[in-house]
Amino acid sequence: MSAPEIPTDEITEPWWDATRARRLTVQRCAACGRLQHYPRALCTGCGGTDLDFVDVSGDATVDAFTVVHRSPRPDLQAPYVVARVRLAEGPILLTQLEGAEPGVWRCDDPVKVAWRALPDGRHLPVFRPAASGADQKAED
Ligand SMILES: [Zn+2]
């Protein structure tokens, strides 16, 4: 059984298109400069409709998370970690954490975006532990 297709519409399509090149973006309001995620038709700050997409660093910290022990679908392997992460640029992203045992995560852990390939060429952003020190060499 395959994963259900993730739908897009005219508002979310540019965001998903960027994931084809593994680019993480957020919406930026041309009127007030506010950054927001997920993509919406209106700016949540000023109600403006002139919104474009800008790349973000992919750096984030864990804001909240929960370990899912019973998978709702056969294609999802439990346990897995659903989380809200706060991007370095400010917006919150709902995502999954991977690359560490579910029991070791803590709020405020630094994380970095990673990409899970979808069958149609898009990618789903997930987050992994950030390198713990500048003097440590990151593994590819
Ligand atoms: Zn605005």
Side-chain angles (χ1 to χ4, degrees), residues 29 31-34 43 45-48:
C29 174
C32 74
R34 184 184 181 87
C43 170
C46 73

Side-chain angles (χ1 to χ4, degrees), residues 9-22:
D9 56 32
E10 60 182 16
I11 293 168
T12 58
E13 199 173 342
W15 188 88
W16 280 111
D17 273 349
T19 73
R20 294 180 185 278
R22 301 183 184 212

